[in-house]
Amino acid sequence: MDHVFAVAVRAMKDAQDEMQQVVPQPRFVTSEVGHRGHRFVEQLPQQALLLKAVRILSAIHTLKLTIDAGLLLDAGASMRILDEIGSEVQFLAAPYLTNAGREAIHDEFLTEFFQEEFDHSDVLKSSQKRHRVSRKKIRAYVVRAYRQEDASTHTDVLRLIDNTFSGFVHGAAAHIMDTYDGKRFSVPAPGDHASLLDFRDQFSIYLHRALMDFAFAAKALGCEAIFARLYQFITTTFADEGSVR
């Protein structure tokens, strides 16, 4: 698995570097309230896809490191992050990959995504609020755009996955209890801990999906060579359900 992971990460990093070259580059700017930094001033969906790919690459690294370290709660949080960002990539890419058109919620999503964190030079006086597109709306659009068979069931599955792993992010009691072995709370967990073994079994699935999300992003950006390269690696390395061949 370590070898497959290393090759997959290299493929995603190369794809990220190439995708960066096809979008307008970041500029070093000063915001209206005086904060300075690099920003994508055009705030295009293609730039958002690139940034989501960057976040996926970071999260899959984190997932591998936390599983190897026995930090199953943090591994669960990384899985939740990958689930969410993966659906967002599919959401942003769909207008370029399917017959589904761009909808008002895409504009709402991009406005919130590129929104600055603070609206005052003194952060303690900031009154910034975010208008996030709900996960329910994103799930519904993804299912509709990609014309999933049995759309209702598929939507329910996506909702179940989101709800299950969200507990690792906000620290639900049931998820924290996964560290308990019948006698004590094991943090980090030993290598033979049952929940940690389950996460290890799922890792290839998350790696497979991360690569697929990169492929979606590349194709939406018009990077056909990158898409073909990633798709070939995916189909020769993984089975359809995500296990390593």
Side-chain angles (χ1 to χ4, degrees):
M1 190 66 232
D2 286 348
H3 174 69
V4 172
F5 175 72
V7 176
V9 165
R10 183 72 263 169
M12 287 186 281
K13 183 65 171 67
D14 289 344
Q16 172 192 296
D17 291 343
E18 292 179 48
M19 287 191 291
Q20 181 183 339
Q21 302 309 311
V22 304
V23 301
Q25 297 301 291
R27 303 180 201 172
F28 192 79
V29 299
T30 302
S31 73
E32 293 181 359
V33 296
H35 298 132
R36 305 177 70 199
H38 287 95
R39 296 290 188 273
F40 283 120
V41 298
E42 299 83 2
Q43 301 186 357
L44 301 174
Q46 291 86 350
Q47 293 165 324
L49 280 165
L50 172 63
L51 291 175
K52 290 296 182 181
V54 172
R55 188 65 185 91
I56 286 171
L57 185 56
S58 178
I60 199 67
H61 269 289
T62 302
L63 179 56
K64 179 71 163 59
L65 290 169
T66 51
I67 289 176
D68 288 348
L71 300 171
L72 63 92
L73 297 178
D74 300 280
S78 293
M79 288 177 170
R80 177 65 178 83
I81 290 169
L82 286 162
D83 289 335
E84 183 168 316
I85 299 175
S87 66
E88 290 171 349
V89 166
Q90 295 169 38
F91 168 73
L92 289 168
Y96 306 96
L97 304 181
T98 74
N99 292 326
R102 180 169 170 171
E103 299 184 359
I105 54 174
H106 287 89
D107 295 328
E108 294 175 24
F109 181 93
L110 290 170
T111 297
E112 190 276 331
F113 176 64
F114 285 108
Q115 182 179 327
E116 292 295 328
E117 196 64 35
F118 304 108
D119 60 3
H120 197 286
S121 56
D122 182 347
V123 297
L124 295 179
K125 297 179 181 179
S126 178
S127 59
Q128 190 78 301
K129 295 182 179 179
R130 291 189 175 275
H131 173 65
R132 288 190 169 92
V133 177
S134 71
R135 307 309 306 170
K136 180 179 180 180
K137 288 183 178 179
I138 290 175
R139 287 193 299 264
Y141 176 84
V142 168
V143 171
R144 185 169 69 253
Y146 294 94
R147 297 183 179 180
Q148 300 284 350
E149 295 182 6
D150 194 0
S152 177
T153 298
H154 191 81
T155 301
D156 288 342
V157 170
L158 293 177
R159 176 179 53 79
L160 177 62
I161 292 172
D162 282 350
N163 291 344
T164 298
F165 284 95
S166 67
F168 287 107
V169 176
H170 61 73
H175 294 74
I176 298 172
M177 288 302 300
D178 284 346
T179 66
Y180 190 69
D181 63 5
K183 295 182 179 179
R184 60 191 295 271
F185 293 94
S186 298
V187 179
D192 60 352
H193 191 285
S195 295
L196 185 62
L197 291 174
D198 288 341
F199 280 11
R200 283 180 178 160
D201 288 342
Q202 294 180 63
F203 179 73
S204 68
I205 297 172
Y206 276 86
L207 184 59
H208 173 261
R209 287 166 55 190
L211 286 159
M212 288 294 293
D213 291 331
F214 258 79
F216 271 111
K219 194 168 184 65
L221 266 63
C223 301
E224 292 294 339
I226 300 173
F227 172 79
R229 192 166 67 240
L230 288 172
Y231 187 74
Q232 181 180 23
F233 175 68
I234 292 166
T235 55
T236 58
T237 306
F238 297 89
D240 289 345
E241 83 284 356
S243 62
V244 177
R245 293 186 186 277

